[in-house]
Amino acid sequence: AQTVTQSQPEMSVQEAETVTLSCTYDTSESNYYLFWYKQPPSRQMILVIRQEAYKQQNATENRFSVNFQKAAKSFSLKISDSQLGDTAMYFCAFMAGNTPLVFGKGTRLSVIA
Amino acid sequence: EAGVAQSPRYKIIEKRQSVAFWCNPISGHATLYWYQQILGQGPKLLIQFQNNGVVDDSQLPKDRFSAERLKGVDSTLKIQPAKLEDSAVYLCASSGLELEQFFGPGTRLTVL
């Protein structure tokens, strides 16, 4: 079974600074997808960024980028120029083939003015 | 386009009562998911539908939980009878041809 581990329950960052959220996963699959989801206090979960395992290039979406290390089974999220609106729970998630999304326990990020 | 709609947003019930949640996915999305998110944890899949057929319900406590998607559009999730440990946020999500799942705002259930 696939597992996703987020080892940082809470993190904080000053506005305009950069923060990195960690995620590791365990799988025997060779083809899979990794996701970072954001869940603000209003609780609507939205997709931040995704990475296909077969792609060597790290995904980037504006201020959000990932560091995907396939051999190490690591998938960290970097948020640059942090903004107050980035305050939220961040969930790392894994999916292989038709299997359901498996989520980590989340990291609560607070951006401090 | 309209997002995933869920109702009610909040529900408080006594244990052993029954409760039902409703979800309307994004128009055209064939796949619909129900997740349970207990406080402090990530969402856990309860059931996945493809159109009106069940794809995965391996983690659904079938002795008390049931779900249906009769016409392949709206879905309802029911708990009967509820237990204290069912207190959670119930999230509905849908997806189309792309992998991305779009989530609704959730229903926060409190069982007293």
Side-chain angles (χ1 to χ4, degrees), chain A residues 84-97:
Chain A
L84 295 177
D86 296 333
T87 293
M89 284 289 291
Y90 286 82
F91 292 96
C92 179
F94 170 100
M95 182 169 68

Side-chain angles (χ1 to χ4, degrees), chain B residues 13-93:
Chain B
I13 60 173
E14 300 279 338
K15 60 183 179 183
R16 291 187 290 273
Q17 285 186 323
S18 63
V19 64
F21 312 128
W22 173 83
C23 173
N24 181 239
I26 291 173
S27 177
H29 280 189
T31 309
L32 184 146
Y33 313 81
W34 282 103
Y35 291 89
Q36 181 192 58
Q37 186 177 19
I38 292 173
L39 186 64
Q41 298 183 20
K44 181 188 80 171
L45 181 73
L46 291 174
I47 189 167
Q48 176 183 344
F49 291 95
Q50 181 78 16
N51 296 309
N52 60 351
V54 175
V55 174
D56 185 345
D57 64 355
S58 57
Q59 298 191 82
L60 186 74
K62 298 180 184 65
D63 58 334
R64 298 183 302 105
F65 286 64
S66 64
E68 60 183 13
R69 194 184 183 199
L70 291 176
K71 296 182 179 179
V73 181
D74 293 8
S75 176
T76 56
L77 175 69
K78 296 180 182 177
I79 307 175
Q80 183 179 13
K83 292 185 175 181
L84 297 177
E85 59 261 37
D86 298 332
S87 293
V89 175
Y90 291 84
L91 297 168
C92 179

Side-chain angles (χ1 to χ4, degrees), chain A residues 54-93:
Chain A
Y54 64 85
K55 290 186 177 179
Q56 292 186 335
Q57 187 172 5
N58 289 324
T60 299
E61 288 287 342
N62 300 314
R63 298 182 295 107
F64 299 88
S65 62
V66 298
N67 183 3
F68 174 47
Q69 301 289 327
K70 191 173 184 178
K73 295 180 181 175
S74 171
F75 182 61
S76 61
L77 174 70
K78 185 172 82 171
I79 306 174
S80 303
D81 185 25
S82 297
Q83 300 175 0
L84 295 177
D86 296 333
T87 293
M89 284 289 291
Y90 286 82
F91 292 96
C92 179

